[in-house]
Amino acid sequence: MTSQTIISVDAMSGDHGAAVAVPAVAAAAAAAPHLRFLLHGDAAVLEAELSRHPAARAACTVRPAERVIGMEEKPAQALRRGKGSSLWNAVEAVKAGEAAAAVSAGNTGALMAISRLLLRMIGGMERPALVAAWPTMRGASAVLDVGANVDCDARRLVEFAVMGAAYHRAALGSQRPTVGLLNVGSEDEKGHEEVREAHRRLKEARFGFDYHGFVEGTDISLGTVDVVVTDGFTGNVALKTAEGVAKFVGAELRAALTSTLLTKAGAVLASSGLKTMRSKLNPASGAPLLGLRGVVIKAHGGSDAPAFAAAVKLAADLAGKDFVDGLRRDLERLAPAVEEPSRDAVAGGAVERDERDQDSA
Amino acid sequence: MTSQTIISVDAMSGDHGAAVAVPAVAAAAAAAPHLRFLLHGDAAVLEAELSRHPAARAACTVRPAERVIGMEEKPAQALRRGKGSSLWNAVEAVKAGEAAAAVSAGNTGALMAISRLLLRMIGGMERPALVAAWPTMRGASAVLDVGANVDCDARRLVEFAVMGAAYHRAALGSQRPTVGLLNVGSEDEKGHEEVREAHRRLKEARFGFDYHGFVEGTDISLGTVDVVVTDGFTGNVALKTAEGVAKFVGAELRAALTSTLLTKAGAVLASSGLKTMRSKLNPASGAPLLGLRGVVIKAHGGSDAPAFAAAVKLAADLAGKDFVDGLRRDLERLAPAVEEPSRDAVAGGAVERDERDQDSA
């Protein structure tokens, strides 16, 4: 019993809601018997889904939540009106110490805002970073930020390096990750001021990873480094561009392989190989929100059950590994670089304080 | 004779030099009998290569050039010491009115600096933009800037929209192109200040294209718009990321298709289809340097003869279409937005003036 790990699951959000979340939890429970689950959502819906997975029933506690945050709601709206929703409650259970990690396939902006409000950031951080586990020629690399922080100064990029290395160590298995900074060339004078300054700081500092220097877009899929650091604008574009290219290649491949009777026959014979490739191109793991004082995993909104189950497994992996405390120690070693909180952080802090007051009232 | 078009070719640069450039010119000459060529480079080397292509000999004039600019030379070095090189002379022939367009597979930074010095930019522009012809589900889209302008303000992004639309019209065949601005989401408030401001300006202005609004990374390969506008940092990362993904998919595909005897047999049967796909993924055309007062095409450094020949064809297409004058008129209509030249433009202008003085001395 002492080795139980409790995962808090927003079981109603995402494109498929409970129809995906509950079977995913059942699969995760079967694979890892030490896991227990808090399922947040409409009790009747969840009980109905759970009745189809009797083996998992005992591992699950249903926590009624009165509403679901829509995929289109703005973060500010979600903060104002999200209390009592399945997403809010899933994160709140981590804050209350009832669960070791939270998982949601819901609205990314809402999950980020609510997690930041309830769990708060590790000192010096402003907003969580989103990391992608990117399939490469050599395995998988962590790429961050892929969307949360559009404007990044040098300090933020250095923080991403530290967080990405910690994530790669905990989730992707390296002992001493190599880290590269995404740029348009490899020479010191390439790129804009922020990347050049971050490059100088990373070259001088001694962290628990090896700084490789600048890398370029091609290096991501080649797996040149374990961790690719970039601002949230560039990272988001790179990730979505890669998704688009993979879709395009898939469509071309289907067209090419079914253009003649001969290639069609070939495609049938080759299909098991093609299936292997597709599964590698669609890595099913969720993405942690890095920099929070707690483990929160964002599953893709369109996740199917295996993808959502992988996000649950990632939550359990990070929850069991002293991940947040380690990250906190690493980031606090960067503390001398902290001069003063930016205006955004101050404003965010004020909102957080207001909200926390309401919360505890 | 009146319909002759003369193309000036740097026949020594790139990874393969004359061994690729001369066969490429021969192929282009065979396909388009109205083309004539100035081949710049080592006369003995070029004559030896030409002796293997007797049918093309009459279309070519060899122009001796004493040196070749190395692929690793810095632009400033190339400006100082590049005079008399094959690259320099190729561009100078356009300036002198001897040729309608120049093509080089040489050092991009050197080609850009020398073109800017000799041909000068269209009023208000600072540096040429590099555009990629990106294969999509619906044909090919123009993506720019893919590397020349790392820091871009809103005005620059609007200029890219105008230039990209002109290029798509001239080279990729649309009458009234659709233009999208690359961002991390589609709502007005997404992204950093520069893209939001460019978005406002593009929504209000009336150009010879349809402004679609923000697009995301996935939209590039889907072909959602004909022209994708972004800063040179993001565009370069996106392009190289796509190249990396395509390489990765190719490697995975080879591995997947040759993993068992059955899939291997399938791969053999499917190979013609796969070859079609690969050729579509490696569009062979060169990239024009947009914004110059003349047509300059950058062929990929690693171009093979068909790729270099496609760059020559692109040069001929743009040279024959009133492309530069049209672009100039379009950009001059943006002129009211021009307030004052930035410091970079002033400094660049000074260098250009110095160099022009030396040049004419």
Side-chain angles (χ1 to χ4, degrees):
Chain A
M1 292 299 278
T2 48
S3 65
Q4 272 187 9
T5 299
I6 303 175
I7 309 295
S8 177
V9 178
D10 169 7
M12 299 296 286
S13 300
D15 299 347
H16 309 297
V20 149
V22 173
V25 163
H34 73 291
L35 296 182
R36 296 292 176 274
F37 303 92
L38 304 179
L39 304 188
H40 302 270
D42 183 304
V45 171
L46 295 181
E47 291 293 355
E49 281 291 340
L50 276 170
S51 67
R52 280 175 234 159
H53 302 277
R57 188 62 194 85
C60 297
T61 305
V62 170
R63 290 284 182 92
E66 62 213 30
R67 64 177 289 259
V68 178
I69 294 177
M71 294 303 266
E72 301 302 321
E73 273 185 54
K74 302 273 172 237
Q77 265 185 330
L79 278 179
R80 272 198 311 275
R81 311 192 315 208
K83 213 175 159 185
S85 66
S86 57
L87 190 158
W88 183 291
N89 291 0
V91 176
E92 203 166 37
V94 175
K95 183 196 175 189
E98 294 182 281
V103 182
S104 174
N107 181 324
T108 308
L111 182 63
M112 206 166 283
I114 290 171
S115 299
R116 188 172 162 224
L117 169 68
L118 296 179
L119 301 177
R120 295 160 61 214
M121 302 301 300
I122 292 174
M125 297 292 303
E126 280 175 24
R127 331 159 37 85
L130 269 175
V131 57
W134 192 298
T136 75
M137 303 265 201
R138 296 174 53 223
S141 296
V143 180
L144 76 168
D145 182 17
V146 293
N149 302 270
V150 159
D151 291 301
C152 291
D153 59 12
R155 196 186 120 209
R156 195 98 307 153
L157 293 170
V158 173
E159 288 168 354
F160 293 166
V162 170
M163 296 199 296
Y167 166 73
H168 202 282
R169 232 179 274 123
L172 302 172
S174 60
Q175 286 302 310
R176 195 179 167 84
T178 54
V179 174
L181 192 55
L182 194 57
N183 199 353
V184 299
S186 54
E187 304 89 349
D188 283 0
E189 74 277 11
K190 288 275 183 180
H192 48 63
E193 181 47 32
E194 289 78 13
V195 289
R196 280 181 280 133
E197 174 59 23
H199 180 59
R200 280 189 289 271
R201 293 192 195 182
L202 285 165
K203 275 200 297 189
E204 283 164 15
R206 291 287 163 267
F207 301 106
F209 56 80
D210 290 319
Y211 179 59
H212 172 279
F214 290 136
V215 293
E216 299 186 59
T218 26
D219 291 303
I220 308 177
S221 290
L222 297 181
T224 306
V225 290
D226 296 320
V227 179
V228 177
V229 169
T230 189
D231 65 273
F233 189 90
T234 309
N236 184 274
V237 167
L239 181 67
K240 289 179 179 162
T241 298
E243 288 174 4
V245 170
K247 270 186 201 175
F248 171 71
V249 170
E252 287 295 309
L253 196 60
R254 268 190 302 280
L257 292 184
T258 55
S259 58
T260 70
L261 204 62
L262 206 63
T263 59
K264 224 178 273 186
V268 171
L269 291 176
S271 65
S272 77
L274 292 176
K275 201 179 283 177
T276 306
M277 187 193 75
R278 273 197 298 271
S279 71
K280 194 155 173 186
L281 281 179
N282 295 308
S285 60
L289 304 188
L290 293 175
L292 291 166
R293 294 173 187 256
V295 176
V296 177
I297 307 295
K298 167 74 177 87
H300 198 287
S303 291
D304 57 9
F308 199 103
V312 171
K313 181 181 180 306
L314 177 62
D317 286 351
L318 296 188
K321 274 192 183 161
D322 183 39
F323 177 70
V324 169
D325 287 342
L327 203 53
R328 199 162 162 174
R329 284 192 298 274
D330 287 348
L331 289 170
E332 275 165 7
R333 257 188 285 149
L334 292 182
V338 182
E339 289 121 40
E340 71 217 282
S342 78
R343 227 171 49 187
D344 180 34
V346 173
V351 171
E352 283 184 15
R353 270 192 304 278
D354 290 345
E355 296 272 352
R356 273 203 305 279
D357 285 347
Q358 286 173 28
D359 192 32
S360 57
Chain B
M1 290 299 278
T2 48
S3 65
Q4 271 187 13
T5 299
I6 303 175
I7 308 293
S8 176
V9 178
D10 169 8
M12 300 297 285
S13 298
D15 298 347
H16 310 296
V20 150
V22 173
V25 163
H34 72 291
L35 296 183
R36 297 290 176 275
F37 303 92
L38 304 178
L39 304 188
H40 303 269
D42 183 303
V45 171
L46 294 182
E47 291 293 356
E49 281 290 341
L50 276 170
S51 67
R52 280 175 234 158
H53 302 278
R57 188 63 194 86
C60 298
T61 305
V62 170
R63 289 285 183 90
E66 63 213 29
R67 64 177 288 260
V68 178
I69 293 177
M71 293 302 264
E72 301 303 320
E73 272 184 57
K74 302 273 172 240
Q77 264 185 332
L79 279 178
R80 273 197 312 275
R81 309 192 316 208
K83 213 175 160 184
S85 65
S86 57
L87 190 158
W88 183 291
N89 291 1
V91 176
E92 203 167 36
V94 176
K95 182 193 175 189
E98 296 182 281
V103 181
S104 174
N107 181 326
T108 307
L111 182 62
M112 206 165 285
I114 289 170
S115 299
R116 190 172 159 223
L117 169 68
L118 295 179
L119 300 177
R120 295 159 60 216
M121 302 300 300
I122 292 174
M125 297 292 304
E126 280 175 22
R127 335 160 31 86
L130 268 175
V131 58
W134 192 297
T136 75
M137 304 266 200
R138 297 174 53 223
S141 296
V143 180
L144 75 164
D145 181 19
V146 294
N149 301 270
V150 159
D151 291 301
C152 290
D153 59 12
R155 197 185 120 210
R156 193 100 309 151
L157 294 170
V158 173
E159 287 168 354
F160 293 166
V162 171
M163 296 198 296
Y167 166 73
H168 201 280
R169 232 179 275 124
L172 302 172
S174 59
Q175 285 302 310
R176 193 177 168 85
T178 54
V179 174
L181 192 55
L182 195 57
N183 200 352
V184 298
S186 54
E187 303 88 351
D188 283 1
E189 74 277 12
K190 288 274 183 179
H192 47 64
E193 182 47 33
E194 289 78 12
V195 288
R196 280 181 280 133
E197 174 61 23
H199 180 58
R200 280 189 289 272
R201 294 192 194 183
L202 285 165
K203 275 200 296 189
E204 284 162 17
R206 292 287 163 267
F207 301 108
F209 55 81
D210 290 319
Y211 179 59
H212 171 279
F214 289 137
V215 293
E216 299 186 60
T218 26
D219 291 304
I220 308 177
S221 290
L222 296 181
T224 306
V225 290
D226 295 321
V227 179
V228 177
V229 169
T230 189
D231 65 272
F233 189 90
T234 308
N236 184 274
V237 167
L239 180 67
K240 288 180 180 162
T241 297
E243 288 175 4
V245 170
K247 270 187 200 174
F248 171 71
V249 171
E252 287 294 309
L253 197 59
R254 269 190 301 279
L257 292 184
T258 54
S259 58
T260 71
L261 205 60
L262 206 64
T263 59
K264 223 178 271 184
V268 171
L269 291 176
S271 65
S272 77
L274 292 176
K275 201 179 283 177
T276 307
M277 187 194 74
R278 271 198 296 272
S279 71
K280 194 156 173 186
L281 281 178
N282 294 308
S285 60
L289 304 189
L290 292 175
L292 290 165
R293 294 172 187 257
V295 175
V296 177
I297 307 296
K298 166 75 176 86
H300 198 287
S303 291
D304 57 10
F308 199 103
V312 170
K313 181 180 179 307
L314 177 62
D317 285 350
L318 296 188
K321 276 194 183 164
D322 183 38
F323 177 70
V324 169
D325 287 341
L327 202 52
R328 200 163 162 173
R329 283 191 300 272
D330 287 347
L331 288 170
E332 275 165 7
R333 258 188 285 148
L334 291 182
V338 182
E339 289 120 42
E340 69 215 283
S342 77
R343 226 172 53 191
D344 181 35
V346 173
V351 170
E352 284 185 15
R353 272 192 304 280
D354 289 344
E355 295 273 351
R356 274 203 304 279
D357 286 345
Q358 285 174 27
D359 190 34
S360 56

